[in-house]
Every structure is written in structure tokens, then in C-alpha cells.
Amino acid sequence: MVETLMRKTRIAVLGTGGTIAGEASSASDVLSYQDSQLSAADTLAPLAPYLPREVELLALQISQLGSENFSTDTWLLLAHAISRLDQTEEPDGFVLTQGTDTLEETAYFLHLALKTAKPVVVVGAMRPATAISADGPLNLLRAVQLAASPQVRGFGVMVVANERIFSAREVTKSHTSSIDSFCSPEFGCVGYMQNGDVKLHRMPSRHHTINSPFSVSGLQSLPKVDIVYAYAGAGSESIRAFLDGGTRGLVHAGTGNGSISSVHQMAYREAILRGVAVVRSSRTGSGLVSRNGAVDDDAFGSISSDTLSPQKARVLLSLALTLKQDAPELQRYFDNY
Ligand code: GLU
């Protein structure tokens, strides 16, 4: 007798809190609500009638935390949880629900560090679940549909928001409260969700996941990396405080093309002499920080961030410092990831 065994497409949904799990006392309140109230299973419940029959969901609560309270330990916890689930439950894809504030940092960390070709989709919402026109349920439905799609196998970690699909390296939150907050300046989205169908326009171009050298296997903590914000008249107090706090890397959120004031240069020189990595990025929000442009990186010993924002450069530097310490080798990571 020949038996056909049909295995359902299994998607693991990990909940961490955020606005997507938020509740307000009035449906018209979209601003002063409590985030991180509903469980992952609660947020999935309204989707049941719209999910294809061949999709089954596993729900797992990792935390109930606004993402402004995430730390590098939270990233590691999530990476370890996904890796473990990958082996024990063998899902076909993953969805991670979280607050939108630092969503892009978690997504880029997982994009660099996870060792899987399966789709991983990070998703949030700008309005609480109780709101009229809440965006969470549709975003979450699209995230599950995207994670179940074989079309995006090998794409690494993606973010889906307001019917657009973004690559984790490029996406950023760009608005305090609009449902159209997520975008990729300069690069645009990689595709769209059209009534649940995945419509791709391009692939992520930089290496990630199984093609990156980074791994969290056996890693219990990440090197401390801090961000220094540049502004007219800024002193070097923050740099000195970070050095006293034991920082291993400093990301300069520089003006323009990653320029560094003479006051900051003096403090960074000391940092570099102490073996602290210094990465030049830009606070402008888009564009490429050119190596040996606004600063002679070869002579100064600094690294340019390519197109990474300060917060994304910090993610890459944290992982890069687990493998290398020298500026030229760290620069190669920024050129390739
Ligand atoms: N600040 C909260 C967080 O990041 C809510 C923001 C949101 O989820 O949109 O979790």
C-alpha cells in the first residue's frame, strides 16, 4: 500500500512583547497604551480564519518587554532560542514579534548570526492590538505568510510592515507613530505582500546567516560597544565615560560623511591607542560613509561603516569583535556585511 504523508508548513512564532501585544483602555487611543500585555498565542488568535489550512503555528513566549529595554543579552537569548527550536521542532520558518523601537537592531543581529537558510521574519506594530485600525494583525498575518514562503529561503532575516518586505540590514524605523514607519532609505524594499502573495523585486546583496562567519554558538555575552553622538560643540565626556566603563568599541554617529571634530579626534586617538575599535558612521540617516573621506582612516586607525546607521554599525561591531580586533580586518567585515 502506498501512503502519502503530507506534512504541514510549520511556522514557529516567538513573542517578546511590544505594541503588537499592547492594550489601551479605549479603541481610539493609539498613543498612551500599555505595551507587552498579550501573549504570542493571543496575538495569533484573530488570524486563525485567514491562515491557509496547510500552515500550522507553534507559539512560544520568550519575554514581555518593550524593545527599548532589549539588551545584547536579549539578542543572544533570541538567537539561542531560534537555533534550539530549529533543531527540536524543525519548523519551516520563524516569526519574531517585538516592539518596533529597536526592531531593526534585533533583525540585523539575527541576520548576521543565525545559521539557517529558513525564512526569519521580524514583525511589530505601530498601534496597539485594541486600536481601531490596528496594524498588528495584518502585519502578523503577512509575517506568517512570508515565513511560510519557499520563495524567500536564503534571504536571511526580513522585516514585514505595512505590506512591504525589507531586508534586515537595510530597514529602519523612520517615524515616531505612523503605520508607514518602516523603510529602507536609498535601497527600498525587497518586495511586497499582495493579499498574502509574496512579490519579490530583488535579493539582499550582502552576505548573511549561513554565509557569515559570525555565530552565537557557545557565546554567553557580547563585547561592549557604545555609540557617541556628534553635534555642534560636543565635548569628549561621553567618550571618556565609555572608556572608563570598559567599552571595546565606539561607533561615532558623525555629522555628514562621518566627520569627527578635533575635540572628539583627541579622545578617539586615546581610545585607539588603548585597543578600542572606532567606527565612523553618520547621523544623516542615509548614504555611504566613505573610507579615507572626511577622515584619513588609514592614518587614524578608524573604520568606516559603509551604509550602516550608527545602531546597525554597533550590531556588526559587537559580533565582529568576537572574532577579530585589528582595524583592517574589522574594516573587511564592514565592507562585506
Ligand atoms: N516602545 C515600545 C517597544 O519598542 C513600543 C513601540 C512599538 O512596539 O511600536 O516595544
Side-chain angles (χ1 to χ4, degrees), residues 18-19 33 35 66-68 99-101 125:
T19 298
Y33 54 89
D35 67 42
S67 72
E68 67 275 18
T100 56
D101 288 1

Side-chain angles (χ1 to χ4, degrees), residues 279-301:
V279 173
R280 293 190 304 114
S281 65
S282 174
R283 66 176 204 179
T284 57
S286 63
L288 180 131
V289 172
S290 348
R291 183 160 177 90
N292 298 328
V295 170
D296 183 346
D297 295 293
D298 290 344
F300 195 59

Side-chain angles (χ1 to χ4, degrees), residues 95-317:
V95 170
L96 173 68
T97 66
Q98 78 151 88
T100 56
D101 288 1
T102 64
L103 186 147
E104 67 205 66
E105 294 166 57
T106 313
Y108 187 44
F109 178 79
L110 298 174
H111 189 61
L112 291 170
L114 289 178
K115 295 295 150 213
T116 181
K118 295 174 185 175
V120 180
V121 184
V122 187
V123 68
M126 296 299 292
R127 292 179 181 158
T130 46
I132 302 175
S133 296
D135 53 335
L138 188 61
N139 281 348
L140 185 54
L141 177 64
R142 297 305 185 231
V144 170
Q145 289 164 331
L146 183 61
S149 168
Q151 283 187 76
V152 287
R153 214 186 140 80
F155 268 55
V157 178
M158 292 156 286
V159 170
V160 72
N162 209 21
E163 303 290 53
R164 294 194 187 91
I165 307 162
F166 300 99
S167 173
R169 184 187 184 278
E170 298 152 1
V171 69
T172 193
K173 182 176 183 178
S174 70
H175 195 283
T176 54
S177 52
S178 164
I179 57 164
D180 203 18
S181 178
F182 283 88
C183 68
S184 284
E186 307 251 82
F187 302 111
C189 58
V190 296
Y192 297 93
M193 296 300 294
Q194 275 189 353
N195 265 351
D197 291 337
V198 178
K199 299 285 180 193
L200 294 174
H201 289 261
R202 64 181 179 89
M203 292 178 70
S205 57
R206 294 291 179 102
H207 301 303
H208 56 78
T209 54
I210 50 175
N211 294 315
S212 100
F214 311 115
S215 164
V216 295
S217 171
L219 210 58
Q220 298 307 321
S221 65
L222 285 168
K224 180 170 157 55
V225 174
D226 296 291
I227 299 176
V228 177
Y229 204 86
Y231 50 92
S236 58
E237 296 92 332
S238 58
I239 299 176
R240 296 190 192 288
F242 287 140
L243 290 177
D244 290 346
T247 201
R248 299 267 314 282
L250 291 172
V251 174
H252 181 65
T255 43
N257 192 2
S259 57
I260 308 183
S261 70
S262 18
V263 170
H264 275 170
Q265 285 208 19
M266 268 168 52
Y268 282 135
R269 203 163 276 128
E270 186 187 322
I272 291 168
L273 278 174
R274 288 204 211 172
V276 171
V278 173
V279 173
R280 293 190 304 114
S281 65
S282 174
R283 66 176 204 179
T284 57
S286 63
L288 180 131
V289 172
S290 348
R291 183 160 177 90
N292 298 328
V295 170
D296 183 346
D297 295 293
D298 290 344
F300 195 59
S302 47
I303 297 142
S304 64
S305 73
D306 194 88
T307 58
L308 293 179
S309 64
Q311 61 272 28
K312 294 269 177 83
R314 175 174 176 260
V315 172
L316 176 55
L317 186 57

